[in-house]
Amino acid sequence: MKFSDSGNLPINTAQFLLICFFHIFNLNSFLFAQNPADTHRKIETAVESRDYQTAISELENLEKSDKKIFKLNNYDYLLARLAEKRGDFALAMAYYQANAVHNSVLNEYALWHLSQIARSSGNLMLERIYLQKIQMLAPESLLTEAVQTRMARSYFESKNFDTTIRIINNRIEISDKGQTKNDARNRENLVLLARSYLQSGKPNEAREVFTRLTDNLSNPAQPDDFALAGAKGLDELDGGPENFGKVAPQLPDNEHLRRAAIYQFNRNFALARLHFQAIVERFPTSNYVSNALYQIGRGFAQEGNYPQAIQWFERVQAKFPDDDVSRDALSQTASAYIRVNQSKEAILHYQKFIEKYPNADNLERAYLNIVDILRDAGEDNEALSWTAKTQAAFKGKLPEAIALFAQVRIHIAQKDWKSALFDLNSLSTFPDPGGTRVPGGTNKAEITFLKGFALESYNGYAEAIDTYLSIPDGRGEYYGWRATERLKALANDEKAKPFVVQKLGELTTNIKGQAAEMQRKSAQSALRLNDTPEVQEKMLAIVRKSYSQLPEYQKVPGGKLLEAGRKEILKEKRETTTENYHKTLADELLFLGLYDEGTPELEKSLNDSTNPKSRIQNPKSDDLNYTLAVFYKRGDMANRAVGYIEPLWKNVPVDYQLELIPRDRIELLYPAPYVDALLKFAPERNVDPRFLLAIMRQESRYRADVKSYAAARGLMQFISTTADKIAKELNKENFNQDELYNPPTAILFGSQYLSNLFKLFPNQPSAVAASYNGGEDNMTRWFARSKSVDADRYVPEIVFSQSKDYVYKVMANYRVYQMFYDEQLKPR
């Protein structure tokens, strides 16, 4: 027998335990009731920092402590998303199902993820069940297009071709003129439609669609990979599946040429050869024979089979000596001889080209290629004689400047700094040194930088410092950045240091009393000469103040981040209506921090002018666009962020001090999407994920679904031949090129390929960037010509104009990423 605190009322043990239980239960309920916002903040913080396990644990604890709040606030959906990110598909599926069952406003998204998990497990019937539920429950869903696409493909993969045909025919969009729209989505649907007709025994219908794919091209000179699918389909129909890829079907010569051109452009050289050879063998008198012979040679050259290429190019010259294509074949023969290390033969062929075609449009390339061949053979003096011949032959024309720049590079490789400086001074007088428009060209910034480099190299420190400072530095200024790096190196060099100190003293002394523009220039120059914290802080303050007085430096774009998404934690079910359907979805998804799905819903609600209740109240357009850009960045749709801010940033001076760019603007210009995949695949291959982002920014502007005119796919823009090679290295069986549209796959392939390139060029990101764009064989030659591992000496050697420009941009990107993110992609 026990007594109450008053000593009056006896209670038994069971009653005592029951009272304790209720006290504990009420205490827990009280504590949670007091802290739902705290719990939400913990979850939110864990999700933002990608600490998914902590977020999952918090969510599981919340479910145990208060199922009602867990369910009302769609935390089950968030838990499922996080479990899916961690690869725990069983847990994800359980919570997606729970969310769908209780008729959540997010059930269409839960059903979509369930369909994807079903598909990945090979259960196509279950996938379609989920997709059909979405169509029934959410006819206005933003997922409708993706649902319909997957529905058609699911039926196709299940060999239900009649249903596939019906679905696609209902989806084909017709233009105002009554013709099928020729956009990528329609063309992709047409490929599936034609394959379905073919598989269902309807060859005539299949032929009609395949022909549409090959005929209706927005740019006939650049046939896309849908045209490639059309050509393959027609070949299979015309020659039979048993002969496909072995024997070209019987066709007119012009149709052989048309299909061959489609294959050749899409780098399917084997199939192109079948058609070119058919022209040569079956139509010996055709006007297309000379071009067919030449294109066979080009295909072999692009495959790297140069001995075979030489044979075909020489056949063109022997059989069609007076044909225009023979001129190109002669040039290509010379180029192929270079690749098989027969430099004398290559030079002889270029000399023959010069003699036979003195009025050729590209005559200067023969001269300049001889210069490069002699350099590769170590015959620098002979190479210099050819640069002189080239300058004489093209006096007063652009090739003269290009030849003079080749001469500069030879002097730099020889460390003949005075001769290099003399030539650079001459080169600086040319109005047009070619830039990145023509192979072997240069620009004012590169010429000025190399002048500073030459001055520095023979101890002309004072002039070198002034020369480097004359090149503006900013976020996209490659040589401005390199000049700043050289200045910092001089500040740490015992011989050069006194000159740096003297210059720094002049700059800081003269700041007082100057106008704002002069203060800006002096302070920004001082920042490049001294990186001690005290000087940096002082000079940055002066620059910041000067910017406030200079209108052109006040054009930094931005906006106010608007509030969007539900803020309160629901404790009771609330009614929803269809009139604010997309806003309701946006509110829930943004509340959960799921910006990838929430931001498109928000944008849709904002664009729906018929539903005023769906709109953010009275937003300024700048603030609204800024908010959407920030949200898209958070949702790993960084292309939308960059697409918003880059056009606006063009109004900002190129030398705007990097350290003064607001952090939120930097993250829009240089976002870090797909962090999970980057940190998973890049570091284990000894690749800096920031370098991958620098490449990604240039290749695709972070668009996962982008496809180039040459059928390069995804974030890292892999062409099929390179992707197939990497797939073999990764032991990926049955690899499909469209897998490259999946960001983790693209990042895995990019990490693997960059790792290979870094093994060829250790600790040389500039060389790796050039190789990524122009090929490792070419970069090896450029690298060797410089006789140096210093990027400031080998980057000028990059002859391909596109590759040099690519290095400028990628390395400028990389600089910013290193400056503002650490190796774990966390903000510095």
Side-chain angles (χ1 to χ4, degrees):
M1 177 86 53
K2 294 188 178 289
F3 296 86
S4 66
D5 291 341
S6 64
N8 297 324
L9 299 175
I11 58 175
N12 59 34
T13 302
Q15 290 174 315
F16 176 80
L17 291 174
L18 188 61
I19 290 169
C20 290
F21 171 81
F22 278 113
H23 275 297
I24 293 170
F25 177 84
N26 289 334
L27 178 62
N28 284 338
S29 298
F30 173 79
L31 288 173
F32 180 75
Q34 294 300 307
N35 295 290
D38 290 342
T39 303
H40 182 78
R41 277 192 293 272
K42 287 180 183 178
I43 296 167
E44 187 177 46
T45 300
V47 171
E48 287 176 358
S49 62
R50 290 178 165 82
D51 184 359
Y52 301 133
Q53 187 51 58
T54 296
I56 289 172
S57 297
E58 289 288 342
L59 287 164
E60 288 175 333
N61 290 335
L62 175 57
E63 182 184 21
K64 292 174 184 176
S65 61
D66 196 319
K67 291 183 182 295
K68 182 179 178 182
I69 284 185
F70 181 82
K71 180 178 173 181
L72 280 173
N73 291 277
N74 292 299
Y75 285 122
D76 47 5
Y77 180 75
L78 177 59
L79 200 158
R81 283 292 310 272
L82 299 178
E84 189 175 3
K85 283 179 179 290
R86 286 180 55 83
D88 190 343
F89 297 109
L91 183 65
M93 200 157 190
Y95 279 98
Y96 283 135
Q97 287 173 333
N99 185 267
V101 165
H102 71 70
N103 200 29
S104 158
V105 294
L106 299 181
N107 60 2
E108 66 197 71
Y109 282 96
L111 290 166
W112 171 250
H113 286 282
L114 285 167
S115 75
Q116 290 181 307
I117 294 172
R119 179 175 82 247
S120 65
S121 67
N123 193 334
L124 297 177
M125 181 178 289
L126 183 58
E127 176 194 19
R128 291 194 294 274
I129 290 172
Y130 289 129
L131 294 174
Q132 287 166 350
K133 286 184 178 180
I134 298 173
Q135 290 180 314
M136 180 180 67
L137 295 172
E140 298 179 29
S141 175
L142 294 184
L143 298 168
T144 297
E145 177 65 29
V147 167
Q148 291 175 346
T149 297
R150 265 315 306 168
M151 186 72 82
R153 289 193 173 278
S154 183
Y155 276 116
F156 181 84
E157 291 161 11
S158 298
K159 304 188 186 306
N160 190 333
F161 303 116
D162 288 339
T163 303
T164 306
I165 291 167
R166 178 177 54 77
I167 292 173
I168 295 178
N169 276 326
N170 288 333
R171 297 187 64 213
I172 297 296
E173 294 186 25
I174 306 299
S175 69
D176 295 337
K177 296 180 180 180
Q179 298 176 337
T180 302
K181 287 186 177 179
N182 203 31
D183 57 24
R185 184 175 67 185
N186 255 0
R187 288 176 67 75
E188 186 173 9
N189 283 331
L190 287 174
V191 171
L192 194 61
L193 178 63
R195 288 174 179 166
S196 299
Y197 279 134
L198 194 62
Q199 292 293 329
S200 60
K202 298 177 180 177
N204 293 334
E205 291 85 345
R207 178 182 297 280
E208 189 274 329
V209 179
F210 282 137
T211 302
R212 267 198 278 171
L213 288 165
T214 57
D215 285 354
N216 301 334
L217 299 172
S218 56
N219 185 349
Q222 298 175 349
D224 56 23
D225 51 350
F226 304 122
L228 176 64
K232 287 180 177 179
L234 290 173
D235 272 1
E236 189 174 339
L237 282 167
D238 291 327
E242 69 279 2
N243 292 320
F244 179 76
K246 301 173 185 176
V247 180
Q250 294 294 330
L251 302 167
D253 57 350
N254 63 327
E255 182 61 16
H256 278 301
L257 186 68
R258 192 172 75 94
R259 294 188 195 178
I262 292 171
Y263 288 131
Q264 189 90 331
F265 184 80
N266 284 279
R267 304 184 67 83
N268 197 321
F269 303 115
L271 290 177
R273 269 195 295 275
L274 285 177
H275 286 279
F276 286 132
Q277 286 176 324
I279 294 172
V280 173
E281 295 165 3
R282 300 174 190 173
F283 304 92
T285 61
S286 170
N287 292 332
Y288 303 134
V289 172
S290 60
N291 186 47
L293 290 169
Y294 174 73
Q295 292 299 339
I296 291 172
R298 286 286 291 153
F300 278 122
Q302 288 181 276
E303 287 179 320
N305 189 342
Y306 297 107
Q308 280 285 342
I310 290 170
Q311 291 182 29
W312 287 92
F313 289 141
E314 291 184 337
R315 280 184 66 178
V316 176
Q317 297 165 67
K319 194 168 182 179
F320 302 95
D322 299 323
D323 196 302
D324 286 345
V325 78
S326 183
R327 178 190 60 205
D328 296 332
L330 177 56
S331 177
Q332 291 294 330
T333 305
S335 178
Y337 272 120
I338 297 171
R339 302 295 186 157
V340 294
N341 298 316
Q342 294 189 40
S343 56
K344 290 183 179 179
E345 283 292 330
I347 290 173
L348 285 172
H349 279 76
Y350 279 127
Q351 288 176 322
K352 182 179 177 180
F353 185 94
I354 292 168
E355 294 166 5
K356 189 174 180 179
Y357 303 106
N359 297 316
D361 291 339
N362 60 340
L363 183 64
E364 76 281 357
R365 291 314 318 161
Y367 282 86
L368 294 165
N369 286 339
I370 290 174
V371 172
D372 289 341
I373 294 167
L374 291 167
R375 292 194 65 194
D376 292 338
E379 300 178 25
D380 283 356
N381 290 333
E382 187 65 17
L384 286 170
S385 73
W386 272 92
T387 61
K389 289 179 184 178
T390 309
Q391 291 172 70
F394 297 93
K395 191 73 176 174
K397 299 178 181 178
L398 176 57
E400 181 188 6
I402 297 172
L404 181 56
F405 185 51
Q407 187 169 295
V408 167
R409 301 198 308 270
I410 295 171
H411 288 316
I412 290 175
Q414 294 175 327
K415 298 185 179 180
D416 183 355
W417 305 114
K418 290 189 177 181
S419 295
L421 185 60
F422 179 83
D423 289 341
L424 284 163
N425 284 327
S426 297
L427 190 58
S428 64
T429 66
F430 281 75
D432 179 14
T436 54
R437 303 188 327 276
V438 295
T442 185
N443 56 49
K444 180 180 178 182
E446 186 170 51
I447 294 168
T448 305
F449 176 83
L450 291 176
K451 284 170 67 174
F453 192 90
L455 287 163
E456 175 190 348
S457 297
Y458 72 84
N459 302 333
Y461 297 124
E463 289 181 86
I465 291 167
D466 286 337
T467 303
Y468 286 142
L469 286 173
S470 72
I471 307 171
D473 190 10
R475 71 179 185 90
E477 301 300 302
Y478 174 80
Y479 273 116
W481 163 53
R482 295 311 310 152
T484 297
E485 292 301 300
R486 300 306 305 185
L487 289 165
K488 290 178 181 177
L490 289 173
N492 292 311
D493 182 285
E494 289 303 317
K495 292 182 180 179
K497 192 172 184 177
F499 297 92
V500 174
V501 171
Q502 180 181 347
K503 187 65 180 180
L504 185 62
E506 292 173 7
L507 291 168
T508 53
T509 300
N510 293 336
I511 285 176
K512 294 181 180 179
Q514 290 182 339
E517 174 60 12
M518 292 305 298
Q519 286 190 346
R520 178 195 70 77
K521 286 184 176 180
S522 296
Q524 287 194 230
S525 294
L527 284 165
R528 302 171 75 179
L529 290 168
N530 190 304
D531 57 5
T532 59
E534 297 82 6
V535 172
Q536 290 277 309
E537 184 178 349
K538 182 178 178 181
M539 292 300 109
L540 281 173
I542 293 170
V543 174
R544 187 181 289 108
K545 183 179 179 182
S546 68
Y547 282 2
S548 68
Q549 302 172 47
L550 299 169
E552 63 270 28
Y553 286 87
Q554 297 170 25
K555 297 177 181 178
V556 176
K560 177 184 176 184
L561 192 65
L562 303 172
E563 287 194 359
R566 175 162 60 83
K567 300 303 176 186
E568 76 282 4
I569 295 173
L570 297 180
K571 297 178 183 178
E572 298 296 336
K573 185 175 178 61
R574 65 176 182 179
E575 294 299 321
T576 58
T577 62
T578 56
E579 68 177 3
N580 58 0
Y581 166 64
H582 291 290
K583 183 177 185 300
T584 298
L585 288 171
D587 284 347
E588 294 305 309
L589 291 163
L590 295 176
F591 167 76
L592 297 172
L594 298 172
Y595 291 92
D596 56 340
E597 294 170 338
T599 310
E601 292 288 354
L602 176 63
E603 186 171 29
K604 173 64 177 173
S605 73
L606 295 171
N607 291 334
D608 189 354
S609 59
T610 63
N611 288 334
K613 293 183 180 179
S614 298
R615 303 186 63 84
I616 294 176
Q617 293 301 311
N618 301 319
K620 292 181 181 178
S621 60
D622 289 346
D623 293 341
L624 180 56
N625 291 330
Y626 171 75
T627 299
L628 288 172
V630 171
F631 285 5
Y632 273 119
K633 175 188 72 70
R634 292 177 183 177
D636 277 354
M637 286 177 275
N639 60 296
R640 292 293 303 270
V642 176
Y644 155 75
I645 198 167
E646 273 196 328
L648 300 176
W649 200 268
K650 290 180 181 178
N651 298 320
V652 179
V654 297
D655 62 353
Y656 197 98
Q657 193 70 31
L658 272 168
E659 294 90 339
L660 297 183
I661 299 176
R663 179 76 205 197
D664 64 322
R665 260 44 67 85
I666 277 290
E667 290 189 5
L668 291 177
L669 285 163
Y670 299 89
Y674 313 116
V675 169
D676 296 334
L678 286 164
L679 295 181
K680 180 179 180 181
F681 297 124
E684 68 180 16
R685 290 172 173 78
N686 296 313
V687 177
D688 186 342
R690 296 170 297 184
F691 187 67
L692 250 164
L693 283 168
I695 295 275
M696 190 189 300
R697 188 180 197 278
Q698 185 58 27
E699 287 289 342
S700 65
R701 280 299 192 270
Y702 318 102
R703 269 192 63 188
D705 62 345
V706 71
K707 183 190 302 178
S708 77
Y709 64 83
R713 291 170 168 83
L715 292 170
M716 305 302 293
Q717 287 291 277
F718 274 96
I719 58 174
S720 57
T721 49
T722 306
D724 287 339
K725 177 183 174 183
I726 298 301
K728 288 180 181 178
E729 291 180 14
L730 295 169
N731 298 316
K732 289 182 74 70
E733 297 180 2
N734 302 317
F735 170 68
N736 184 309
Q737 294 291 328
D738 284 352
E739 292 178 48
L740 293 169
Y741 296 129
N742 177 40
T745 301
I747 289 167
L748 169 61
F749 275 56
S751 299
Q752 179 70 16
Y753 186 41
L754 288 172
S755 178
N756 294 342
L757 294 177
F758 271 112
K759 289 171 185 173
L760 290 174
F761 304 103
N763 303 312
Q764 296 295 336
S766 298
V768 168
S771 299
Y772 197 95
N773 179 265
E776 53 262 43
D777 291 344
N778 291 315
M779 187 62 236
T780 299
R781 290 162 57 218
W782 300 326
F783 199 85
R785 287 175 199 165
S786 72
K787 301 176 183 178
S788 174
V789 295
D790 187 344
D792 292 333
R793 286 177 58 181
Y794 69 70
V795 167
E797 294 283 5
I798 298 172
V799 175
F800 294 173
S801 53
Q802 183 189 64
S803 297
K804 182 184 274 192
D805 187 56
Y806 185 84
V807 170
Y808 292 165
K809 290 173 179 174
V810 167
M811 293 307 297
N813 293 343
Y814 189 35
R815 174 201 188 183
V816 178
Y817 273 113
Q818 287 178 302
M819 192 170 181
F820 289 95
Y821 298 86
D822 67 16
E823 289 185 333
Q824 295 300 308
L825 300 180
K826 293 180 179 178
R828 287 189 186 278

